[in-house]
Amino acid sequence: MKESIHIKNLGPIKKISIDDIKPFTVLIGESGSGKSTLMKTVALFRYLYKICNIRSYLKHSNISKVPFPFTTEEYFRNCGFNQFVKNDTEISYKAKFENNEEYEISYKNKKLSVAKKIDKDNLHFNKISFISETRNLIPLWADKGASTKGAYLGFYFHEVYDDFNLATEEVKEMPLDFLNLKFKVKNTNSGKKYSILSIDEDDFEIDYKNSSSGIQNTVPISLITEYFSKHFDFEKAFDRSALQYVSRTGKLKDFTPVHNLDDINKKIYIHIEEPELSLFPDAQCQLMNDIIDKCFIKNKHEVELFLSTHSPYIINHLNLLIKAYDKNTLIDGVKFNYDDLAVYQVEEGKIVDLKIQNERLINTNPLSDIINSIYDQYALL
């Protein structure tokens, strides 16, 4: 399946088109340039396409009245797009298959148009995860806020916290080799206890909430990617999304499954805001190795990764992993195929492709402008 996204006049975005969203897409740019808006739009329309798939599956299975109404206003409010949408805002997401079947979800003239009924052979069941920059609040929320009735810290925080909570049901201990630490979950009478330990447990153990800001930002990324790439239970998720609705509405007698879940294509989409937060450059690169290892090398489920960053170190490190792939070697156990990667610089509401096609490299020269300016000013002094 080939995905594309086209956005016009949405918040800071003037006009952006990506004709083929790669398995690993990286956005880099200044604050306010539109990186998060672009990534949130992709994640939202992937979610809408997921709903189209579930609705189509139920229709193919003889369930005429299907759940999940498309409430555009609620979706845009959750994304923080209320003040971004203009009269001339346009968004088009397309999924195209090898048999040339194409399904589109579009927003134009303040109206959402959803995909036609998806052919049974093209059905997908997907999980969309968004790891927001607000993940640094998880340690304190888990310790205090989760027990505060009615407290609300925003849609994206609660989405990432729910994924974190799901992950800690399955992953009770996880090495953080790139930090020479490990994360541990222990069930107690008062709830889950989260700890950070040295590799040698005799050295120290501290509460997760008392760890450094870099560790607090890193653990949710590593944990959630570990969980979804290796442990996520599609069957349970499918039951929650579709089968419980059929049972609840008393339609089981009419339900004739068009496919078993095993026969439906499945994919995990993970979106990460600023993975480098509070990390030293070397740790940023090692975290990227960890993410790529989990999502593309030791994964049990098919994963696609989309992230936004301010870090030129991450982009430079990707060149190293591309070279490792071309030389059929590994850097700390990982490598990455240039053909499965896209890197865009977001600036002034548009994107610039940073891949140099004939050299199998990412152009990092534009990312050096600031340091070069500093050197120039220094030389003048």
Side-chain angles (χ1 to χ4, degrees):
M1 183 183 81
K2 177 181 174 182
E3 294 177 289
S4 65
I5 190 81
H6 303 277
I7 309 170
K8 178 182 175 183
N9 295 333
L10 177 66
I13 294 177
K14 295 178 181 177
K15 189 174 183 180
I16 285 179
S17 292
I18 302 177
D19 293 324
D20 184 9
I21 301 176
K22 296 294 185 180
F24 186 12
T25 300
V26 181
L27 308 176
I28 187 166
E30 297 180 6
S31 298
S33 61
K35 300 187 305 301
S36 290
T37 302
L38 172 53
M39 187 163 67
K40 287 176 180 177
T41 305
V42 170
L44 171 60
F45 276 70
R46 281 172 165 173
Y47 174 75
L48 295 176
Y49 185 64
K50 171 185 173 178
I51 293 177
C52 289
N53 274 273
I54 295 172
R55 290 164 62 99
S56 297
Y57 173 85
L58 291 173
K59 288 179 180 179
H60 282 299
S61 302
N62 207 31
I63 303 297
S64 56
K65 186 178 179 181
V66 293
F68 312 116
F70 292 96
T71 51
T72 312
E73 185 178 338
E74 179 184 352
Y75 294 138
F76 282 175
R77 184 173 62 250
N78 288 338
C79 294
F81 289 173
N82 310 54
Q83 298 176 327
F84 286 6
V85 176
K86 307 177 182 71
N87 290 330
D88 59 350
T89 294
E90 296 180 12
I91 306 169
S92 172
Y93 168 90
K94 293 180 182 179
K96 188 173 183 178
F97 291 82
E98 292 182 359
N99 60 5
N100 289 323
E101 281 288 331
E102 186 175 79
Y103 305 93
E104 181 180 12
I105 302 172
S106 64
Y107 180 83
K108 188 176 181 180
N109 298 323
K110 293 198 168 184
K111 291 184 179 179
L112 183 70
S113 299
V114 299
K116 61 186 178 180
K117 184 179 177 182
I118 298 169
D119 185 82
K120 62 182 180 179
D121 293 329
N122 293 332
L123 288 170
H124 273 69
F125 186 64
N126 304 323
K127 170 62 186 177
I128 292 89
S129 177
F130 196 100
I131 306 175
S132 70
E133 61 183 349
T134 55
R135 61 187 176 271
N136 65 319
L137 299 174
I138 287 177
L140 290 177
W141 180 258
D143 186 59
K144 300 288 185 184
S147 61
T148 306
K149 290 184 179 180
Y152 184 69
L153 298 181
F155 174 79
Y156 285 105
F157 171 76
H158 289 281
E159 284 287 294
V160 71
Y161 180 77
D162 287 345
D163 285 346
F164 176 87
N165 197 38
L166 275 175
T168 56
E169 291 292 326
E170 187 70 31
V171 182
K172 297 298 183 183
E173 190 169 306
M174 182 186 66
L176 304 166
D177 291 334
F178 53 96
L179 297 173
N180 200 33
L181 299 168
K182 62 181 173 181
F183 174 76
K184 191 173 183 179
V185 183
K186 184 179 180 180
N187 293 323
T188 68
N189 292 333
S190 57
K192 294 176 184 173
K193 178 184 177 183
Y194 307 112
S195 301
I196 300 295
L197 300 83
S198 64
I199 295 298
D200 183 354
E201 290 189 25
D202 292 332
D203 282 352
F204 72 86
E205 176 177 351
I206 61 172
D207 290 344
Y208 175 39
K209 66 178 180 180
N210 294 327
S211 62
S212 72
S213 58
I215 295 170
Q216 292 185 26
N217 277 293
T218 300
V219 165
I221 296 174
S222 192
L223 182 74
I224 290 170
T225 53
E226 169 80 14
Y227 169 67
F228 282 121
S229 65
K230 300 178 185 178
H231 305 283
F232 182 66
D233 191 327
F234 273 103
E235 187 172 343
K236 286 183 179 178
F238 186 73
D239 181 58
R240 289 193 300 270
S241 297
L243 300 187
Q244 284 185 13
Y245 169 81
V246 175
S247 176
R248 188 172 62 251
T249 54
K251 298 290 185 180
L252 277 175
K253 64 180 185 301
D254 302 323
F255 183 59
T256 307
V258 65
H259 280 312
N260 292 322
L261 181 59
D262 289 343
D263 299 325
I264 299 176
N265 296 309
K266 293 176 281 291
K267 190 177 289 185
I268 304 286
Y269 293 103
I270 298 176
H271 311 78
I272 306 174
E273 281 189 311
E274 300 178 34
E276 73 276 5
L277 287 176
S278 302
L279 290 177
F280 196 70
D282 181 59
Q284 295 178 27
C285 298
Q286 292 183 54
L287 174 61
M288 289 308 304
N289 289 346
D290 182 73
I291 295 171
I292 291 170
D293 182 57
K294 287 178 166 66
C295 292
F296 299 108
I297 296 177
K298 295 178 182 174
N299 54 309
K300 293 182 180 178
H301 299 308
E302 184 179 356
V303 178
E304 293 207 5
L305 185 63
F306 204 113
L307 64 85
S308 64
T309 180
H310 293 117
S311 173
Y313 301 105
I314 286 177
I315 308 302
N316 278 280
H317 184 66
L318 290 174
N319 271 331
L320 179 62
L321 300 184
I322 291 168
K323 180 60 72 174
Y325 182 92
D326 291 345
K327 294 294 184 180
N328 196 27
T329 189
L330 298 173
I331 302 295
D332 293 332
V334 300
K335 58 185 178 181
F336 202 82
N337 186 357
Y338 173 89
D339 298 324
D340 292 333
L341 175 70
V343 181
Y344 301 105
Q345 184 174 11
V346 186
E347 55 181 7
E348 298 181 355
K350 299 179 181 180
I351 56 172
V352 177
D353 189 347
L354 294 183
K355 290 177 70 176
I356 307 174
Q357 298 296 334
N358 59 342
E359 296 184 31
R360 295 181 67 82
L361 276 173
I362 303 165
N363 180 12
T364 59
N365 289 333
L367 310 180
S368 303
D369 290 346
I370 294 176
I371 194 68
N372 290 337
S373 174
I374 292 171
Y375 285 143
D376 290 345
Q377 293 180 64
Y378 183 88
L380 288 174
L381 292 173

